[in-house]
Amino acid sequence: KAGVTQTPRYLIKTRGQQVTLSCSPISGHRSVSWYQQTPGQGLQFLFEYFSETQRNKGNFPGRFSGRQFSNSRSEMNVSTLELGDSALYLCASSPVTQQGGENGYTFGSGTRLTVV
Amino acid sequence: KNQVEQSPQSLIILEGKNCTLQCNYTVSPFSNLRWYKQDTGRGPVSLTIMTFSENTKSNGRYTATLDADTKQSSLHITASQLSDSASYICVVSAWTGGFKTIFGAGTRLFVKA
């Protein structure tokens, strides 16, 4: 059974650019959550999508956005990149929305974004 | 304010030794508590999950305890191995009409030969 797949694994971008990260959840999982992880802040929740709808959102600026497709694959977009956006971006999938029940997450290996 | 605090921030132990990591939380109303292990450059992997009524949960050499009265949890690692070197993250969920999940900052464990 394939796990959560995130692409690309590594990415280097310049300040001011935009970036799109991709996440393919475990087959049958309809919930996809995104997290930002930095050494100083730990894991910070960005947002959760379930059945193509954003169900929950963390405290991040509007430059961070996402979407989910009908096959449950999700993308996260960051516009006007800043140096502070350098982080490991993790995606996690779950069978149900976290609003409806907490059945645990399965995390992907993440995308390491470096902004220079 | 819902918070999860872990201690120590980092820890160095010798291979074969035991260690205990701490997690204190103020999350309310409590739903469940998980411990995750995260290897460098990888996503976190769930070790244990405990609900309000559970005091102890084991997964191989990992044993988690929960005291819901004092809002404290610990993760005990027995006979540590080099492969235990990782970050250990405590995650607490609360039910407030929808689930809120709060992550601790993690404890970085280094196991040396």
Side-chain angles (χ1 to χ4, degrees):
Chain A
K1 186 178 183 181
V4 178
T5 304
Q6 290 188 247
T7 57
R9 286 279 285 147
Y10 302 94
L11 203 50
I12 299 176
K13 289 287 189 179
T14 305
R15 270 183 306 175
Q17 286 187 312
Q18 74 156 11
V19 67
T20 298
L21 312 182
S22 179
C23 173
S24 293
I26 289 173
S27 178
H29 284 197
R30 296 167 63 190
S31 166
V32 174
S33 300
W34 288 90
Y35 299 84
Q36 181 194 67
Q37 187 176 37
T38 58
Q41 296 293 319
L43 273 158
Q44 303 286 319
F45 172 71
L46 281 156
F47 31 66
E48 183 211 358
Y49 283 86
F50 181 81
S51 294
E52 302 178 63
T53 302
Q54 188 179 89
R55 293 302 182 97
N56 214 349
K57 191 176 188 302
N59 296 321
F60 278 81
R63 300 186 297 107
F64 292 82
S65 64
R67 60 177 176 169
Q68 187 178 33
F69 302 95
S70 58
N71 62 358
S72 294
R73 189 177 71 85
S74 177
E75 288 183 346
M76 189 192 88
N77 185 275
V78 187
S79 62
T80 320
L81 283 166
E82 301 176 359
L83 295 179
D85 296 333
S86 295
L88 179 68
Y89 289 88
L90 290 162
C91 148
S93 78
S94 174
V96 298
T97 175
Q98 298 306 301
Q99 287 189 326
E102 212 284 301
N103 287 307
Y105 310 91
T106 300
F107 283 87
S109 294
T111 293
R112 172 71 65 184
L113 172 65
T114 302
V115 182
V116 297
Chain B
K1 182 180 178 183
N2 290 323
Q3 286 186 312
V4 176
E5 295 184 351
Q6 292 188 244
S7 62
Q9 193 172 33
S10 63
L11 184 62
I12 301 174
I13 62 173
L14 291 175
E15 186 180 14
K17 298 296 185 181
N18 303 335
C19 68
T20 300
L21 314 180
Q22 297 292 339
C23 173
N24 296 339
Y25 62 93
T26 59
V27 177
S28 182
F30 175 84
S31 177
N32 62 60
L33 183 148
R34 293 178 181 273
W35 282 94
Y36 283 88
K37 177 187 178 188
Q38 184 177 21
D39 294 313
T40 301
R42 312 293 293 183
V45 174
S46 180
L47 292 174
T48 62
I49 177 173
M50 289 182 291
T51 58
F52 185 88
S53 59
E54 296 175 295
N55 302 119
T56 303
K57 188 70 71 76
S58 291
N59 179 357
R61 295 178 298 102
Y62 301 101
T63 299
T65 64
L66 173 66
D67 186 332
D69 291 330
T70 61
K71 298 187 177 182
Q72 296 180 324
S73 177
S74 64
L75 180 68
H76 186 74
I77 304 175
T78 304
S80 61
Q81 301 176 357
L82 298 178
S83 59
D84 292 331
S85 294
S87 288
Y88 291 85
I89 303 171
C90 174
V91 183
V92 183
S93 292
W95 174 257
T96 57
F99 273 103
K100 292 292 183 184
T101 300
I102 296 91
F103 290 79
T107 291
R108 190 74 176 93
L109 175 65
F110 300 89
V111 180
K112 295 198 165 187

